[in-house]
Amino acid sequence: MKVTELVTQFAQPIVEAHGCSLWDVEYVREGSERFLRLYIDKEGGVDINDCEAISRAVDPVLDEKDPIPESYHFEVCSAGLERVLKRPGDFARFLGSPVTVKLYRPRNGLKEIPGILRDYADGAVTVEAGRETITFAKSEVALVRLRVEF
């Protein structure tokens, strides 16, 4: 089982007990350092107190379960307003929302297409971009991120 899946299993109930939801778990290398990050969310937004409380609750469980043999930094962060959509449920929740679709290769000279999320099916993403509705195949899409409009 992957580190992120294992951490999700034991962290999710702790995060939910603190009134938040677990948006994502990330285990990445940045330079010579490794980071384990929990991204949390809640209605009305996450603040520093939520992050601190969850960090303090999860940290001893990480020590006990010891899912990562090498040294790493542990962080608890807000999922953020411009979060990346990953799971089908994320796309379903944010249908009708402004998004930016980042592509692996440019389409009509653009690698980032802003639009309104209209559909998601089997990895294909459909957005309304201006007067045009565009469907991107799963193989074209590097990521889809919520977009905040002011």
Side-chain angles (χ1 to χ4, degrees), residues 103 105-111 113 132 134-137 140:
L103 305 172
R105 286 186 269 332
R107 185 190 265 203
N108 299 328
L110 299 173
K111 279 188 84 170
I113 315 286
E132 192 178 5
I134 309 166
T135 299
F136 301 96
E140 295 178 276

Side-chain angles (χ1 to χ4, degrees), residues 41-53:
D41 193 20
K42 78 173 182 187
E43 198 65 40
V46 169
D47 64 26
I48 190 72
N49 296 324
D50 296 314
C51 295
E52 185 179 342

Side-chain angles (χ1 to χ4, degrees), residues 10-81:
F10 64 76
Q12 189 157 1
I14 297 169
V15 170
E16 289 172 358
H18 283 82
C20 296
S21 60
L22 183 60
W23 181 262
D24 198 13
V25 176
E26 176 182 74
Y27 182 57
V28 294
R29 171 184 233 121
E30 293 177 4
S32 63
E33 310 274 357
R34 293 182 184 273
F35 291 85
L36 174 65
R37 291 188 183 105
L38 302 186
Y39 291 94
I40 60 173
D41 193 20
K42 78 173 182 187
E43 198 65 40
V46 169
D47 64 26
I48 190 72
N49 296 324
D50 296 314
C51 295
E52 185 179 342
I54 290 169
S55 177
R56 287 179 186 211
V58 172
D59 197 44
V61 180
L62 279 171
D63 289 343
E64 176 194 323
K65 303 262 187 205
D66 200 22
I68 304 170
E70 57 269 341
S71 68
Y72 62 94
H73 301 279
F74 174 56
E75 299 175 346
V76 177
C77 316
S78 165
L81 294 175

Side-chain angles (χ1 to χ4, degrees), residues 122-148:
D122 299 320
V125 177
T126 302
V127 296
E128 186 180 308
R131 298 180 182 174
E132 192 178 5
T133 299
I134 309 166
T135 299
F136 301 96
K138 182 179 183 176
S139 62
E140 295 178 276
V141 178
L143 66 83
V144 178
R145 176 184 303 282
L146 287 179
R147 183 169 44 88
V148 176

Side-chain angles (χ1 to χ4, degrees), residues 23 40-42 78-102 112-118 125-127 141-150:
W23 181 262
I40 60 173
D41 193 20
K42 78 173 182 187
S78 165
L81 294 175
E82 293 193 338
R83 67 192 67 183
V84 175
L85 305 181
K86 293 184 176 184
R87 298 168 294 275
D90 300 345
F91 288 92
R93 178 177 169 191
F94 290 103
L95 282 175
S97 297
V99 295
T100 299
V101 179
K102 292 189 179 190
E112 291 189 14
I113 315 286
I116 304 298
L117 181 61
R118 293 297 177 213
V125 177
T126 302
V127 296
V141 178
L143 66 83
V144 178
R145 176 184 303 282
L146 287 179
R147 183 169 44 88
V148 176
E149 296 179 320
F150 293 99

